[in-house]
Amino acid sequence: VIFLTEIVGFSDIEAGWIGGVFAALLYFGPIFNGALADQIGFRKALLMAFAFLTTGYFLLGAVPTKLFSLLSLFFIIIGGSFVKPVIAATIAKTTDQLNRARGYSLFYQMVNIGSFAGKTIAKPLRTELGLEYINYYAAATALIALLMVFIFYHGIPSSEEKKNFREILEGFKQVLRNVRFMMLILIVAGFWLIQGQLYATIPKYTLRMVGTQAAPEWYANVNPLIVIFLVIPICLLETILS
């Protein structure tokens, strides 16, 4: 939101709407892109995902106009919505009932190590070089990820029974009709509504109240730091208790 308002030129309200729609599409996209990844193969899907992320972040920094920023964010949405289901499905297919919880715990721990490192580096990039360099940094890391996938990730066999998009929609309708599950989703959504403010409103609020020397990036690091240290112990405790 800081970049969209201070560099691109959107108002606070416009940036809020853009951020909200961006997050909604990013988390809604895996429903369909996960099925597409199963069709084309996980390796191709990840290569395409990081190609979109590299392009999107680079354009966001290089061409910070209103129209191009929306196009860049759309590229990032496509890339991000491929990564999530592919990684989750890879874990599901390479673990069994005994170690699946630990597999996901390791995954979330690694994700939050990346989140913590990214936010830590974002502060000096913003203050010493400028906001646009955060996008260049993100593009560079996405490019490194693309190369790592190309070299090290050989993919895993996809499902024998590949679902088409009509079947995906039918399954989605069944989920919506499950009242108890939707109530759980609503409860969890309350948490994400609060957690999302770390990126939607707190950055600008902090800079306005404390000053430009403040570090909203580091304040937001509290969340991934706690996950890094607690996700594995909680998983082990849950295994012992069960």
Side-chain angles (χ1 to χ4, degrees):
V1 294
I2 299 175
F3 180 82
L4 290 177
T5 53
E6 294 188 8
I7 303 297
V8 180
F10 287 108
S11 67
D12 287 348
I13 294 177
E14 289 171 338
W17 275 104
I18 293 170
V21 173
F22 172 84
L25 293 178
L26 183 63
Y27 285 94
F28 190 73
I31 296 174
F32 304 99
N33 284 354
L36 181 57
D38 207 37
Q39 296 281 342
I40 65 177
F42 287 177
R43 187 172 185 271
K44 289 181 180 179
L46 276 183
L47 289 172
M48 185 167 62
F50 287 118
F52 270 107
L53 288 171
T54 301
T55 303
Y57 279 117
F58 178 79
L59 288 177
L60 194 60
V63 192
T65 62
K66 291 185 176 181
L67 179 60
F68 256 88
S69 65
L70 295 178
L71 178 63
S72 302
L73 290 173
F74 181 69
F75 284 168
I76 295 171
I77 288 170
I78 295 175
S81 60
F82 267 112
V83 172
K84 296 174 184 296
V86 169
I87 300 300
T90 299
I91 296 170
K93 291 176 179 291
T94 54
T95 57
D96 54 31
Q97 195 65 30
L98 294 176
N99 60 14
R100 184 156 297 146
R102 280 175 287 176
Y104 279 108
S105 296
L106 287 170
F107 162 56
Y108 285 117
Q109 186 181 54
M110 293 303 298
V111 166
N112 282 277
I113 289 174
S115 176
F116 182 87
K119 293 182 182 66
T120 301
I121 296 173
K123 168 54 164 64
L125 283 177
R126 176 176 61 84
T127 56
E128 300 299 327
L129 297 178
L131 279 167
E132 64 274 15
Y133 282 90
I134 297 177
N135 294 307
Y136 296 145
Y137 164 63
T141 55
L143 180 59
I144 292 172
L146 188 151
L147 296 174
M148 291 182 68
V149 170
F150 182 79
I151 297 171
F152 298 110
Y153 185 83
H154 302 294
I156 58 176
S158 57
S159 302
E160 294 182 2
E161 296 182 1
K162 296 180 173 63
K163 295 183 178 180
N164 56 42
F165 287 104
R166 183 175 181 179
E167 291 173 320
I168 294 295
L169 288 174
E170 288 299 322
F172 187 64
K173 290 178 182 178
Q174 291 181 12
V175 170
L176 293 177
R177 288 194 289 264
N178 190 323
V179 178
R180 292 180 62 185
F181 183 70
M182 291 307 299
M183 290 299 296
L184 174 63
I185 293 296
L186 184 62
I187 294 171
V188 175
F191 160 76
W192 283 106
L193 180 66
I194 298 172
Q195 198 267 352
Q197 302 315 306
L198 289 172
Y199 312 100
T201 56
I202 288 179
K204 299 214 69 170
Y205 175 82
T206 303
L207 292 176
R208 286 173 177 171
M209 295 298 293
V210 180
T212 55
Q213 75 278 9
E217 303 92 340
W218 292 352
Y219 299 158
N221 255 342
V222 174
N223 178 60
L225 186 64
I226 291 175
V227 175
I228 290 169
F229 286 109
L230 295 185
V231 65
I232 299 296
I234 289 176
C235 173
L236 293 175
L237 179 62
E238 188 274 335
T239 303
I240 294 172
L241 295 177
S242 60

